[in-house]
Amino acid sequence: MKLLSRKAMCNSHGQDSSYFLGWQEYEKNPYDEVKNPKGIIQMGLAENQLSFDLLESWLAKNPDAAGFKRDGQSIFRELALFQDYHGLPAFKKALVDFMSEIRGNKVTFDPSNIVLTAGATSANESLVFCLAEPGEAFLLPTPYYPGFDRDLKWRTGVQIVPIQCTSSNGFQITEKALEEAYQLAQKRNLKVKGVLVTNPSNPLGTTMSLNELNLLVNFISSKNIHLISDEIYSGTVFSSPGFISIMEILKERKLDDTEVWRRVHIVYSLSKDLGLPGFRVGAIYSNDDMVVAAATKMSSFGLVSSQTQYLLSAMLSDKKFTKNYISENQKRLKQRQKRLVSGLEKAGISCLKSNAGLFCWVDMRHLLSSNTFEAEMELWKKVIYDVKLNISPGSSCRCTEPGWFRVCFANMSEETLKLSMQRLKVFVDSTTKTNHSRRKSLTKWVFWLSFHDCEIVNGER
Amino acid sequence: MESMLRKQKEMLSKIASGNGHGENSPYFDGWKAYETDPYHPTKNPNGVIQMGLAENQLCFDLVQQWLLNNPEASICTAEGVNDFRNIAIFQDYHGLPEFRNAVAKFMGKVRGNRVKYDPDRIVMSGGATGAHETVAFCLADPGEAFLVPTPYYPGFDRDLRWRTGVQLVPVECYSSNNFEITREAMEAAYQKAQEDNITIKGLLLTNPSNPLGTYLHRETLRSLVNFINEKNIHLVCDEIYAATVFSGQRDFISISEIIEEDTACNRNLIHLVYSLSKDMGFPGFRVGIIYSYNDTVVSCARRMSSFGLVSSQTQHLIASMLSDDEFVDGFLMESAKRLAKRHRAFTCGLSQVGIGCLKSNAGLFLWMDLHHLLKEQTYEAEMKLWKVIIDEVKLNVSPGSSFHCPNPGWFRVCFANMDKETMEVALSRIRSFMRKNKEPKLPVKKLCWTKSLRLSTSFKRLDDIISSPCMSPQSPLVRART
């Protein structure tokens, strides 16, 4: 008799994927300005390290929240005992208000419809447990966050069917792509229970357009399925066109209180907007009271620590603080993204025009030896081992086109970012120099073309 | 309306729309009664006293003092804020090394340093609740089963079964022999499962037991280890109450000690579940631990811990606190003393009105015997009596049936989640109730502490109980060894 479960023995945890291998390489040889200046710079981790000073100064001004106190009295005991899966009421109220504020107060959220979970990781898994049976499926637009393969499928037994998005239209979701995905699922005998989108998108760094959002509402309406909108990056939108939440669309289309409205669920977290991934603060928001009830019970498996709930309820209730934080954080992200984009440009590399997120979706197709994923892996290995940058290959995000990479910009100092761009430029220059010397025998126009479109030189390497 | 509800249910999974969460059990009904009418000494003196919640509230003063003396343990105070950003960023599912080291050391201390724990085998989880679910996901496929001795913690029905699809097969333990686990009962349950085509993957023990408050002898543990080795099934030991052993009792023996002694045991079958919710009284902090001697399980459980990591803010605090040897040694000793004292006061108070409990030496509760008050030895009668206790006596206690107890009439009564005054109020209510119901249905066994050699050395402060008319002949229940 086999000793362990199938789940324990398989690799649906997805951690053999390249996304995680890059992390491993980084851990073996991490960059440090002083101790290891030649180490690998971590650009594969979507963390927001730009605004800690704002949080720290709030803490300095609010010693009570910091020290388990309320009005000078210790509430340690109360917090230590508080394990109610309904969550700290003050925290839920502060959290929904914060979510509202991020959406320019165009929508409001009801604290009794929010469920607290140990990070968005747990939120996504629990939501899938609530909405689908093992063997059923969710449609996800590609490219998508590699962690979804674990979070949505591993222990739930649910499948993911990709909605193929391409660079031809900036990777936007089209009606055609939605239908094709649905048909593909049917062909595979998979019952589709819903669509899951990340808005703003990881790894694209773009907000969903009005058109896409309306398409989604129409689609889930006609197919009678759910929509999960993972809005974990909603507070990182730093430039136009601005963020439109799915809830706004529903409101505008006067779909409040309809069946469709009850099939739309939002996932949120403070890991990206506030830069607090260690605190494990996630949330599910649903208009369906049965989903809220079931998800609340499931949250027993991953509640948010009461001391963390208390600290954050105090912080997020401080409206002066949140207003300033949201705008200052966005400013800094915008500035930092600009630096990355211009650094890439100097190296002759472009990226998808983005207005959100902690990363850019970088186009390195012209650096591929061939338009294949093998070539992408080859390039990725060079970038890790020779350029010493850990970036995430598009294949790990299930991108259908080779040559795209996600490069993070908010998890390091400005100097480190500058250094990473310098290293990249050196690499690209040396690569093109190599191309140049190899192609001395070719006519000039072929050489020029090879620099801009690697498909033609396929046969040459 | 009904069809709307049906439609709504159809949009959800069976897990979400069904009753697998187990919250329709009477265990939770009592909580609801308490919540609508909670006792308060001044604002609601006639409210329901909560005795259904196994919390340890006796030593917060010690922790609070430690916090005052150690402001740097919080990453939010001026003294600790230098660590804020590094901790806030830290989401590595291996956990902070200092956290794992501190927890491993603590677990060793709780066992009198008779065993050492390896910090690299410490895996975090969302409380013991998350730990149990994760272990079930690692060890069993849907439809497979775990053996669990009755009576057992009602939460297991949800934790081990709800989302995993795993089953629980009870191993019946009876009051006639103090609910001890027998080899015969184990074999019988195993055989029946085979006949029903259910694959048994493991045995789940809670030691010290919830709800019994007793812990297993060395011989029993050895016998169970032999059993699981013979059948090649796992042994999951929930030792969440390990540090609630009352002071003066014989040493609690952990499964870790047994496998140190037993070199023939297949260590790949042994797993521990732990938490700080009961021993330290920190259920709100969600510190659950899986400790497995099986490398593959450690690795798999660690990956699954992403679904329930301990907040890094909390890891930091706990690491600081549990690394303070002086504090920990003092805390463990004082906590054991206070639990012993509270337990004594309560059991004596009960015995004065003819109510006996299973003799116990650990836990945050008593296993109270009221079967002599039942009109008939049935669960219906137990439920009727329970309703009376909630509605008239105004105490929320937990009926044995919610723990799958095979003998009706037993109730779990928690005593460590209230102050001394509230305990007195609870006892006086019980006294009044018993006086009103002077006609017991069955002969009452007058139960009290024995003066057995073992116990007398432990109760140095006999002044607590000497005044009570307690010195009565030994009863089989009290005399029984645990």
Side-chain angles (χ1 to χ4, degrees), chain A residues 53 73 85 109 112 216 263 279 427:
Chain A
D53 58 314
Q73 293 301 314
Y85 58 28
F109 296 95
S112 58
L216 284 170
R263 294 203 301 272
F279 289 2
F427 168 72

Side-chain angles (χ1 to χ4, degrees), chain B residues 235-395:
Chain B
L235 180 58
V236 182
C237 265
D238 184 340
E239 297 191 349
I240 197 178
Y241 291 100
T244 66
V245 175
F246 311 146
S247 71
Q249 297 305 309
R250 63 173 171 83
D251 287 331
F252 159 71
I253 303 162
S254 163
I255 192 66
S256 304
E257 292 174 61
I258 299 295
I259 65 170
E260 286 299 317
E261 298 163 0
D262 181 0
T263 47
C265 174
N266 179 2
R267 287 185 169 213
N268 281 327
L269 300 174
I270 311 290
H271 324 276
L272 259 95
V273 164
Y274 187 57
S275 158
L276 298 182
S277 300
K278 310 296 177 182
D279 290 350
M280 295 298 297
F282 296 161
F285 295 168
R286 314 315 300 150
V287 183
I289 302 289
I290 297 169
Y291 189 97
S292 175
Y293 291 91
N294 180 321
D295 292 345
T296 311
V297 173
V298 170
S299 171
C300 181
R302 186 174 284 138
R303 290 185 174 125
M304 289 188 179
S305 70
S306 296
F307 299 111
L309 296 172
V310 177
S311 167
S312 53
Q313 176 191 18
T314 301
Q315 289 186 51
H316 185 266
L317 175 71
I318 297 299
S320 237
M321 197 184 286
L322 299 188
S323 311
D324 185 338
D325 288 326
E326 212 188 309
F327 167 75
V328 170
D329 293 340
F331 178 93
L332 289 175
M333 200 162 47
E334 187 60 28
S335 176
K337 270 196 202 134
R338 295 182 189 185
L339 285 169
K341 187 170 175 190
R342 185 59 73 85
H343 172 261
R344 207 156 54 234
F346 215 86
T347 45
C348 246
L350 289 178
S351 74
Q352 282 168 26
V353 288
I355 296 177
C357 304
L358 184 69
K359 180 170 174 300
S360 62
N361 10 11
L364 309 174
F365 33 70
L366 302 166
W367 191 232
M368 182 172 69
D369 182 6
L370 296 183
H371 84 280
H372 54 289
L373 296 181
L374 296 184
K375 285 205 174 80
E376 340 156 294
Q377 296 303 297
T378 62
Y379 293 117
E380 290 72 29
E382 179 184 286
M383 282 293 111
K384 283 209 178 95
L385 176 58
W386 179 58
K387 282 228 162 306
V388 167
I389 298 175
I390 299 232
D391 297 337
E392 290 179 28
V393 194
K394 296 291 193 75
L395 302 177

Side-chain angles (χ1 to χ4, degrees), chain A residues 98-119:
Chain A
F98 185 66
M99 287 169 70
S100 231
E101 205 178 340
I102 285 174
R103 290 154 182 72
N105 291 312
K106 291 190 214 126
V107 277
T108 51
F109 296 95
D110 182 350
S112 58
N113 286 358
I114 203 158
V115 179
L116 301 173
T117 61

Side-chain angles (χ1 to χ4, degrees), chain A residues 237-272:
Chain A
V237 180
F238 49 77
S239 64
S240 64
F243 176 62
I244 310 170
S245 168
I246 190 72
M247 290 299 179
E248 276 179 65
I249 300 295
L250 293 172
K251 197 169 161 194
E252 260 174 48
R253 287 171 63 159
K254 303 227 181 346
L255 290 168
D256 312 39
D257 258 325
T258 59
E259 273 186 42
V260 179
W261 183 74
R262 268 190 287 279
R263 294 203 301 272
V264 174
H265 322 278
I266 290 182
V267 165
Y268 187 54
S269 158
L270 297 180
S271 300
K272 311 296 177 182

Side-chain angles (χ1 to χ4, degrees), chain A residues 195-264:
Chain A
V195 179
L196 186 149
V197 298
T198 308
N199 179 28
S201 163
N202 172 13
L204 304 176
T206 54
T207 51
M208 230 171 232
S209 65
L210 199 54
N211 185 46
E212 283 172 288
L213 289 165
N214 276 310
L215 264 178
L216 284 170
V217 173
N218 297 341
F219 186 73
I220 64 155
S221 247
S222 74
K223 304 285 192 237
N224 200 33
I225 58 179
H226 295 273
L227 176 62
I228 299 176
S229 182
D230 184 339
E231 301 188 348
I232 196 179
Y233 290 98
S234 47
T236 67
V237 180
F238 49 77
S239 64
S240 64
F243 176 62
I244 310 170
S245 168
I246 190 72
M247 290 299 179
E248 276 179 65
I249 300 295
L250 293 172
K251 197 169 161 194
E252 260 174 48
R253 287 171 63 159
K254 303 227 181 346
L255 290 168
D256 312 39
D257 258 325
T258 59
E259 273 186 42
V260 179
W261 183 74
R262 268 190 287 279
R263 294 203 301 272
V264 174

